[in-house]
Amino acid sequence: MLISAQTLLGGYTEMKTTIALAALLAAVPAAAVNFDQGVDAAAILEQAKAAAKADAKPEAKAVDARYLGGRRTVQDCVSVSFGANDPAVSPTFSLRSTEYIEECYQTGDPRNGGGRQCYERPGRSYHELASVTLQDRQPLLPWERDSFRVCLDGPWLSIYDIETAYDYRLISGGSYNGRYVLAPGRKTAQRPDPVGVLGELDSSMKFSLKDKWTSYYAGETIEIKYALKKHVENWFDPVVAEGAVTVPVAESYLVDLSKSSGLQNGKKYYVEYSIRRIGTVSTDKFTRTLETNKASRAAMSLAFNR
């Protein structure tokens, strides 16, 4: 005998309704149903809902209290630097990066001051070998360096310029390959040698400087910024005189500070100074501040004071 799908569906629906109604009748107290007057399904449903609500407990719905709070990685970096006379290939070095996973647990009832407690545990550990090669290496000035930083952060490798004398482009390496090969582009100016010009103060308060790299800066100028200070034991050193001079590049420079006001015979003095190159060879930023030796001012003769 063939039974249509519609007939089957209707019978199934009727059966489900009967089962559901029976369940509702079981959930409602017997006194709530008057079989002599028939069954009001809508009324029974409302009573069942009310009964379920009355039986509900105040505790929150049970859930898995353990859940993932987050994760982070601690990167590992190595700086690689090439001087003018260094090989074009760095040694191979090892990088390790560790992943940390935060896990949190719900404690107590959040409605009564409860909260969560978290802790970190080590996760995966990543390890890579890396190196840097400069392809078609170009010459550097004696004080210049090409410096890079290679980092492993989780599984990801990367390389950054710290300071370079050329615009380098990546030829190969990266992502999961730490064998970096870089090629130079156009020349760029770097900071001047921070100790390329060194100063000295003598007892007559003459501040003299010698330039180590005169030949590389021929035709350019140099600015010398200085501050003459009096040395005071266990106290701040006051500035006696300060200023700046701009002169053509030469092998030596002299700044006469002997006529600075307030100088005292026998007292110790020194000079704080920095220089900047004005031209195209280097950037025009001042170098870090250096100090000369401490010199005691010599007593002047009577003939000089007349």
Side-chain angles (χ1 to χ4, degrees), residues 25-89:
L25 290 172
V28 179
V33 182
N34 188 343
F35 288 95
D36 294 336
Q37 297 178 3
V39 177
D40 186 345
I44 293 175
L45 181 60
E46 289 301 322
Q47 292 179 48
K49 287 182 179 179
K53 185 176 181 181
D55 290 339
K57 295 182 180 180
E59 286 80 14
K61 185 184 291 184
V63 295
D64 185 1
R66 181 172 175 268
Y67 65 99
L68 190 65
R71 64 183 62 211
R72 66 183 178 89
T73 53
V74 177
Q75 69 175 1
D76 186 20
C77 297
V78 170
S79 295
V80 181
S81 184
F82 298 88
N85 298 316
D86 292 336
V89 181

Side-chain angles (χ1 to χ4, degrees), residues 11 18 40 45 56 97 112 146 148 150 170 196 216 223 241 247 256 266:
T18 302
D40 186 345
L45 181 60
S97 178
N112 297 315
D146 286 327
F148 307 90
V150 180
L170 182 65
Y216 293 93
E223 182 178 356
V247 293
D256 187 357

Side-chain angles (χ1 to χ4, degrees), residues 181-243:
V181 178
L182 307 173
R186 66 179 182 86
K187 181 74 173 70
T188 61
Q190 273 194 333
R191 292 174 296 176
D193 185 352
V195 293
V197 177
L198 295 177
E200 183 180 46
L201 183 68
D202 63 20
S203 59
S204 64
M205 300 293 102
K206 301 290 181 62
F207 173 40
S208 59
L209 305 98
K210 290 186 177 180
D211 195 333
K212 184 178 180 180
W213 307 119
T214 306
S215 60
Y216 293 93
Y217 292 97
E220 295 193 351
T221 57
I222 184 173
E223 182 178 356
I224 304 166
K225 185 168 61 175
Y226 63 87
L228 176 65
K229 289 190 169 184
K230 179 182 177 181
H231 175 63
V232 181
E233 290 289 347
N234 302 319
W235 196 246
F236 298 104
D237 295 342
V239 175
V240 176
E242 60 184 339

